[in-house]
């Protein structure tokens, strides 16, 4: 039985931009697994009620229902131990937990501040009220006010990436010579921006940009080939 | 032949406060090794010229000379593989590199801003001019101006610890159930403050404070028993 992955979609259902689902899409590719994705929107709570909660990613694997990208990575390593490991041996997992917490506390809010209004514009109209209400509560400001402060926030965001930058100066991936789930966690945040916003986040000569390019090229360009909302609006969904 | 470790000392040579040497002192304890420490001061460049550079830690291990706390940890794991591992298997090392870069880029500058003037006050007088000149260049301000801004900088410093806080909410140490070199790297920065400054850095109910207490207690209280400058000035070098 094929795996099934519920995946957040924009108004254009080809555009899949959730940073948390991208963690899983890259994890599946790392394991050499494929899944049928089911386009899902923020307000489709009933569709995934069977999972016992109301957010994606939700993975269905031979009757097992797993939610939360971290739990899904643990499940994939446990169920498919003969395929390349995402989290490595037990001793490696603690370090990846730290990277995840850094990403969730620093990178996700930092990128969110840059792109949140762009994300709102690409949503299906039935999602827009929900998204605006929940995100404005999170930021304590209107989406327009957050977007108006994005340019000013950009230098601090770039500076906040220094731990990533310093690490990929000495090794090609957070995982070392080869990527592991730590890379997918952080890269997925950049993929979220790439799919949903035309904004450039990184200086061209930033080593982080080179790492992002290496990650885009993984798995025959899985992420590079993904549909981008603001390009498809112009009649193309290919990357430049 | 006993190991020998060159260790930064205050005017009171019992006070050893270098965050980078504390990484090594805890690493040695983790491996069940002991070293004779040699008190060293910033301006004793000639004393360690044999190491090919001018900073501590410098470890001498049966004729091998190893500098830099990370290289020392790698050396200890390679030379003493039958003792508890600091860095774990190859796959774990990449995650610890990230924690180190986060600590060096976020925690060390954040604590430095809180304590730099206190550190200056405890130095041997022959170190004070060197320290003031190099640190004022680094901060772009006088030590007094940095210290005057410390209270205002404290909330942002505490917020910057969120990746650590989130991680040790779900596991007792950065290394997981037990500490590894990632813990020693970050804890050593707090030990730097503990030995050199009376300033409190953490709210009492911060989970980071509980992790710091667990770390202080390791190895029969190795770090808890260390001499503290501002207490020894009052006639005691015992922790409260």
């Amino acid at each position: 039985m094929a795996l099934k992955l519920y995946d957040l979609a924009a108004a254009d259902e080809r555009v899949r931009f959730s940073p948390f689902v991208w963690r899983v899409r890259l994890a599946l590719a790392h394991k050499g697994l494929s899944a049928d994705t089911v386009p899902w929107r923020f307000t489709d709570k009933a569709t995934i009620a069977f999972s016992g909660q109301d957010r994606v990613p939700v993975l269905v694997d031979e009757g097992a229902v797993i939610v939360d990208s971290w739990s899904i990575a643990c499940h994939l390593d446990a169920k498919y131990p003969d395929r390349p490991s995402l989290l490595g041996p037990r001793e490696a997992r603690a370090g990846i937990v730290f990277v995840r917490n850094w990403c969730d506390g620093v990178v996700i809010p930092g990128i969110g501040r840059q792109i949140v209004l762009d994300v709102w514009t690409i949503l299906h109209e039935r999602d827009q009220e929900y998204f605006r209400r929940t995100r404005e509560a999170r930021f304590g400001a209107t989406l327009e006010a957050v977007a108006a402060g994005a340019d000013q926030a950009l230098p601090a965001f770039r500076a906040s990436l220094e731990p990533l930058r310093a690490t990929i100066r000495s090794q090609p991936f957070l995982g070392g010579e080869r990527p592991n789930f730590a890379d997918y966690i952080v890269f997925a945040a950049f993929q979220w921006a790439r799919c949903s916003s035309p904004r450039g986040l990184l200086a061209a000569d930033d080593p982080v940009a080179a790492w992002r390019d290496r990650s885009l090229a993984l798995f025959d360009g899985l992420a590079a080939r993904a549909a981008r909302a603001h390009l498809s609006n112009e009649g193309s969904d290919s990357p430049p």
Side-chain angles (χ1 to χ4, degrees), chain A:
Chain A
M1 192 168 96
L3 286 79
K4 186 187 287 190
L5 177 65
Y6 288 82
D7 189 5
L8 184 63
D12 176 348
E13 82 168 30
R14 295 170 304 172
V15 176
R16 310 296 177 88
F17 61 96
S18 162
F20 303 104
V21 180
W22 268 107
R23 295 178 187 183
V24 174
R25 294 184 68 175
L26 291 153
L28 288 166
H30 181 98
K31 301 294 285 189
L33 296 167
S34 63
D36 295 332
T37 66
V38 183
W40 177 90
R41 298 201 170 89
F42 284 113
T43 48
D44 294 343
K45 305 295 190 193
T47 313
I48 58 170
F50 71 90
S51 72
Q53 52 87 63
D54 62 3
R55 294 194 291 185
V56 294
V58 173
L59 182 74
V60 182
D61 182 3
E62 291 184 340
V65 176
I66 311 102
V67 301
D68 178 83
S69 58
W70 182 265
S71 298
I72 290 170
C74 294
H75 165 82
L76 294 175
D77 268 359
K79 182 157 179 192
Y80 306 97
D82 296 337
R83 293 168 179 256
S85 176
L86 285 161
L87 298 165
R90 185 171 190 77
E91 298 92 332
R93 201 164 287 205
I96 304 176
V97 167
F98 185 88
V99 172
R100 180 200 64 191
N101 290 333
W102 175 77
C103 183
D104 288 351
V106 174
V107 184
I108 292 278
I111 293 182
R113 191 163 285 279
Q114 295 295 314
I115 67 171
V116 67
L117 184 60
D118 292 330
V119 171
W120 180 83
T121 66
I122 69 170
L123 295 179
H124 195 287
E125 62 183 6
R126 73 173 188 259
D127 275 1
Q128 287 186 315
E129 183 279 328
Y130 165 84
F131 184 86
R132 177 179 285 276
R133 176 167 42 81
T134 54
R135 271 54 180 179
E136 291 188 346
R138 193 176 297 171
F139 283 107
T142 65
L143 300 186
E144 287 74 12
V146 174
D151 284 347
Q152 197 181 350
L154 193 58
F157 166 69
R158 290 177 175 177
S160 78
L161 300 176
E162 190 54 32
L164 168 62
R165 189 174 294 119
T167 303
I168 48 92
R169 274 203 183 99
S170 65
Q171 56 194 45
F173 291 102
L174 292 175
E177 289 299 315
R178 304 184 59 77
N180 68 9
F181 196 53
D183 290 279
Y184 308 143
I185 289 169
V186 183
F187 170 70
F190 287 94
Q191 183 69 354
W192 171 40
R194 176 182 169 87
C195 293
S196 63
S197 169
R199 278 184 74 80
L201 299 177
L202 301 172
D205 62 351
D206 189 335
V208 176
W211 163 84
R212 185 183 57 180
D213 287 346
R214 287 194 289 279
S215 302
L216 279 165
L218 293 170
F219 315 119
D220 297 321
L222 172 68
R225 288 183 282 105
R228 302 174 69 182
H230 291 81
L231 290 172
S232 59
N233 287 349
E234 291 160 15
S236 162
D237 57 10
S238 302

